[in-house]
Amino acid sequence: MNTTSTLTDSARETLETIIAVFKRVNRARVFGHVRPDGDCIGSLLGMHHILNHYGIAHELAAPELSGERYGPIPGFELIRDEPSSGFEPDVTIYVDNATPERSFAEPEAPDTTINIDHHAGNSRYAEVNWIEGGCAAVGEMLFDFARHAQIEITPDFATALLLALLTDTGSFRYSNVRARHFDITGDLIRAGGDLMLVNRTAFEGQRRESIQIAGEVYSSISFQCEGKAAWSELRAERLESFGGSVNVPENLVSELRAIRGVEVAVLFTELRPPGLRASLRGTGRIDVSAIAAQFGGGGHAAAAGITLSECDYESNRLKILAAIEHAVGC
Ligand code: 5GP
Ligand code: MN
């Protein structure tokens, strides 16, 4: 196990500050972002193992948690969909959460807040902010944490970090992949991480409705800017016909980006009560997080999102498409 550390001096200093907090507190809560993805779930569980190492009692929570996909990952059952009212932590830790609005409200009690994230545009909303825009996943940061603090990576801890790394790199297909991710993956497998379980839960075992939704999305793709922009949509009525609560597969929009010639892909989902969610993906030339930011959204250069509530779906879809056309330059 010899993956080299890439922590900068300032990251090391921040990590030491976090470790000092962990050595003095007794209770913590860890908050992920709304509709947690694989990196978020893996980071919540990774933090669970780190907090256990320090003997800190803790709870894990993320808004709009669904057990449908990641339920089989060891420890998933520890994650709640809201903080429990009776639990008074000394510290609140946010993971994979670029802005406070994407998670539970700032705690009222005067506790310490820590923010561990890999979104370059993170708004640094906590007292201690450890932000690594160059990391592919928060799971990668927690691997570095464990190594730096000499915390044993048990098999379940390794599985959680594998989940984080595989989902946020699209199984090593995205532009954020570096050679060290393969070293880390090797270390995690040697530590007993269950790669097949991660693959089965994250990428297989789709519900029939999810495949039908994919069909719906593929059959209504439109192209603009001579094929440089691709978009599709899921209207609320159609989604409801598939059972309502069915999750839209996370990788669908990446498949639109994979179409030859496409530089920006976007998938719109109509929300009820009226609103819109847009998932944007880019191939490099265009920073889609800058487009998302124009509408109060955010994310990474190659993957970003927008959520607009209490608004008209159609007119906002057109506004976002116009901003994409402008960015693509057509
Ligand atoms: P996805 O399209 O997979 O939901 O999100 C892609 C990226 O964009 C994620 O890294 C996520 O953090 C970010 N993102 C998605 N939706 C929103 C949103 O409504 N607001 C902000 N600020 N970021 C978002
Ligand atoms: Mn992430």
Side-chain angles (χ1 to χ4, degrees):
M1 298 218 184
N2 52 8
T3 299
T4 48
S5 169
T6 52
L7 289 172
T8 60
D9 287 348
S10 105
R12 245 172 246 275
E13 216 172 283
T14 310
L15 205 37
E16 284 303 328
T17 307
I18 295 172
I19 291 168
V21 172
F22 286 180
K23 284 183 175 163
R24 77 175 157 75
V25 302
N26 299 312
R27 285 176 306 277
R29 60 182 161 203
V30 193
F31 286 167
H33 61 73
V34 64
R35 290 175 286 109
D37 58 5
D39 184 30
C40 187
I41 298 288
S43 304
L44 285 164
L45 295 176
M47 198 42 84
H48 156 72
H49 293 286
I50 291 174
L51 293 171
N52 274 350
H53 171 85
Y54 292 99
I56 299 171
H58 56 275
E59 75 171 19
L60 315 171
E64 295 182 35
L65 174 75
S66 154
E68 180 171 317
R69 177 145 296 277
Y70 298 116
I73 298 295
F76 179 88
E77 68 286 354
L78 300 170
I79 307 174
R80 304 167 48 92
D81 61 3
E82 57 180 358
S84 55
S85 51
F87 186 73
E88 287 187 13
D90 310 309
V91 59
T92 299
I93 305 151
Y94 292 90
V95 290
D96 199 30
N97 195 62
T99 60
E101 300 79 48
R102 302 252 301 149
S103 190
F104 300 110
E106 283 263 357
E108 281 157 31
D111 60 356
T112 308
T113 51
I114 295 175
N115 169 11
I116 301 179
D117 187 31
H118 69 133
H119 293 86
N122 186 293
S123 63
R124 308 187 81 90
Y125 48 84
E127 278 162 54
V128 183
N129 299 283
W130 180 28
I131 315 300
E132 299 286 351
C135 279
V138 173
E140 178 181 354
M141 299 172 68
L142 298 187
F143 175 88
D144 288 336
F145 190 142
R147 274 297 157 78
H148 178 82
Q150 297 185 324
I151 299 169
E152 187 198 353
I153 299 185
T154 59
D156 285 355
F157 189 176
T159 299
L161 297 186
L162 281 174
L163 172 68
L165 200 54
L166 262 84
T167 50
D168 260 20
T169 60
S171 297
F172 308 112
R173 288 193 302 146
Y174 297 161
S175 56
N176 56 7
V177 177
R178 303 285 175 266
R180 80 183 301 256
H181 298 135
F182 295 92
D183 298 334
I184 292 173
T185 302
D187 285 354
L188 293 174
I189 291 171
R190 278 186 287 272
D194 192 340
L195 184 68
M196 283 318 295
L197 176 69
V198 167
N199 282 328
R200 275 201 309 276
T201 49
F203 307 114
E204 293 172 19
Q206 300 267 13
R207 279 177 54 169
R208 287 175 205 170
E209 293 85 346
S210 299
I211 300 301
Q212 287 164 329
I213 287 175
E216 181 88 9
V217 165
Y218 292 145
S219 64
S220 57
I221 302 175
S222 298
F223 296 93
Q224 296 185 211
C225 300
E226 296 165 338
K228 290 183 186 143
W231 67 274
S232 189
E233 63 181 342
L234 281 164
R235 300 300 301 252
E237 202 172 281
R238 294 299 295 147
L239 266 177
E240 280 153 14
S241 75
F242 290 119
S245 66
V246 175
N247 289 332
V248 178
E250 279 170 32
N251 65 337
L252 255 185
V253 64
S254 305
E255 299 300 328
L256 303 189
R257 169 178 61 183
I259 299 168
R260 190 174 300 174
V262 168
E263 294 188 6
V264 175
V266 55
L267 175 60
F268 297 100
T269 308
E270 182 182 12
L271 304 179
R272 281 218 224 271
L276 165 154
R277 188 153 62 230
S279 263
L280 289 83
R281 296 292 184 272
T283 55
R285 187 174 72 87
I286 291 149
D287 176 354
V288 292
S289 71
I291 302 173
Q294 295 172 33
F295 300 89
H300 308 275
I306 300 165
T307 310
L308 301 174
S309 43
E310 291 171 37
C311 71
D312 176 58
Y313 170 79
E314 197 63 26
S315 57
N316 282 289
R317 178 178 68 74
L318 292 172
K319 279 186 204 158
I320 294 169
L321 279 177
I324 291 172
E325 286 184 356
H326 181 75
V328 172
C330 62

